[in-house]
Amino acid sequence: MTDQSTTVPDAIHKHFGLTYANYLVLPRTLLQSMPDAWQTRFVALLDEMTEAFEHVPQAEAYKVEAAEEHTVSEMTEAQLKAAGITEDWYAGEKPPEGLASDELTEWQNQHEQLSPDYYDADGNELDEHSRVLLPAADPVPHYNRGRTYIEPKRPAAGGLVSVTRYTVSVLPADDINHRYFALHVELKSRGWVVHNGHEFYTEAGVWEPGQATAHHFADYDDALAVARKAAPDVTVNGHTAVEAYQRTQEATRG
């Protein structure tokens, strides 16, 4: 299980490891089988990513199907045919026409390679170690309108990880002034609160010292929305977070 208390640089790239996968496929049935609190956090992250890249053109849809991976040199004739792959044992040469049966056998014995060359349906040569996908039955059952449930495996030790605090700031985490211009969304006994370390967001929509008058949100999404809206206007020593960010960018460019 990933330690969520520490920020890992390039975590997504590291998650994919040595694969060449360009996409991550997650079965809907397994997602809806996770605890509600986990689903809520997951959907919030999806929404955050969608908002971050809504300006980027993306495909209208993707076609995803279950498959099994095969190494070309280990595939049966039936599997090669299903994948549209042909074998060439004679390096592109063809026997002369009109050969008798024994002459054809002799020609094949003389010209046959130790291993064949492989070509895909478009005529492109494939390395014998290339991996191809063949359609297969999906072992994960259909989500059935949200009804299908599969009991998740609980961690053997250490318990489930619960995120109880989020930090929101216009300034990046590695900025020296990040902590001064940050707002925190934190889970308390009566719900989620928004604060800057000294003042709390109240029922009246203002900021006051102490937690006594703090507004407690039942849904952390609502608390995060307040923090995101207020983050640009966080002011320290007469400077807003946006102004601090702009100064940092100017110093970097200079």
Side-chain angles (χ1 to χ4, degrees):
M1 180 178 292
T2 302
D3 180 5
Q4 298 181 39
S5 64
T6 303
T7 299
V8 179
D10 302 321
I12 295 296
H13 179 67
K14 292 174 182 176
H15 174 78
F16 277 90
L18 298 178
T19 72
Y20 293 99
N22 201 37
Y23 298 91
L24 176 64
V25 178
L26 298 173
R28 180 171 174 175
T29 295
L30 301 187
L31 292 175
Q32 71 188 29
S33 297
M34 289 295 286
D36 287 337
W38 183 95
Q39 292 185 44
T40 301
R41 297 196 303 273
F42 182 81
V43 170
L45 291 174
L46 289 180
D47 290 342
E48 184 177 339
M49 180 178 170
T50 299
E51 182 180 344
F53 297 107
E54 62 183 358
H55 63 289
V56 178
Q58 299 180 52
E60 181 177 344
Y62 293 92
K63 181 181 179 181
V64 178
E65 61 180 356
E68 292 179 344
E69 192 174 53
H70 298 270
T71 301
V72 169
S73 61
E74 299 174 359
M75 295 170 69
T76 65
E77 284 189 24
Q79 290 173 335
L80 290 170
K81 183 177 181 181
I85 298 174
T86 56
E87 297 176 295
D88 179 7
W89 288 88
Y90 308 109
E93 295 189 49
K94 294 183 178 180
E97 295 183 3
L99 293 180
S101 178
D102 57 341
E103 293 175 325
L104 177 59
T105 300
E106 181 180 357
W107 184 93
Q108 291 174 332
N109 291 335
Q110 291 177 348
H111 293 82
E112 186 173 297
Q113 303 178 114
L114 294 177
S115 61
D117 298 321
Y118 297 96
Y119 296 88
D120 64 18
D122 296 322
N124 302 307
E125 186 171 1
L126 300 172
D127 183 272
E128 65 178 352
H129 302 297
S130 297
R131 295 182 177 183
V132 297
L133 299 178
L134 287 178
D138 191 344
V140 179
H142 190 269
Y143 72 94
N144 191 23
R145 299 183 181 180
R147 300 189 185 100
T148 305
Y149 176 78
I150 299 175
E151 181 70 27
K153 179 181 178 181
R154 301 300 180 181
L160 291 173
V161 174
S162 296
V163 179
T164 59
R165 179 176 166 125
Y166 296 86
T167 298
V168 179
S169 178
V170 171
L171 279 68
D174 59 355
D175 190 294
I176 190 173
N177 292 313
H178 170 83
R179 64 192 180 104
Y180 301 112
F181 290 90
L183 293 176
H184 307 290
V185 176
E186 191 169 358
L187 181 61
K188 300 294 185 180
S189 60
R190 293 192 289 133
W192 295 87
V193 299
V194 182
H195 66 91
N196 59 16
H198 307 286
E199 297 179 322
F200 288 76
Y201 183 81
T202 69
E203 295 277 358
V206 296
W207 299 84
E208 294 183 358
Q211 189 181 332
T213 58
H215 177 60
H216 291 76
F217 295 86
D219 191 331
Y220 82 100
D221 271 340
D222 294 333
L224 279 174
V226 168
R228 285 177 176 145
K229 183 177 180 180
D233 297 321
V234 172
T235 302
V236 177
N237 294 331
H239 299 285
T240 66
V242 171
E243 291 170 343
Y245 175 78
Q246 291 172 341
R247 288 206 313 273
T248 299
Q249 295 303 302
E250 291 171 358
T252 302
R253 288 194 295 268

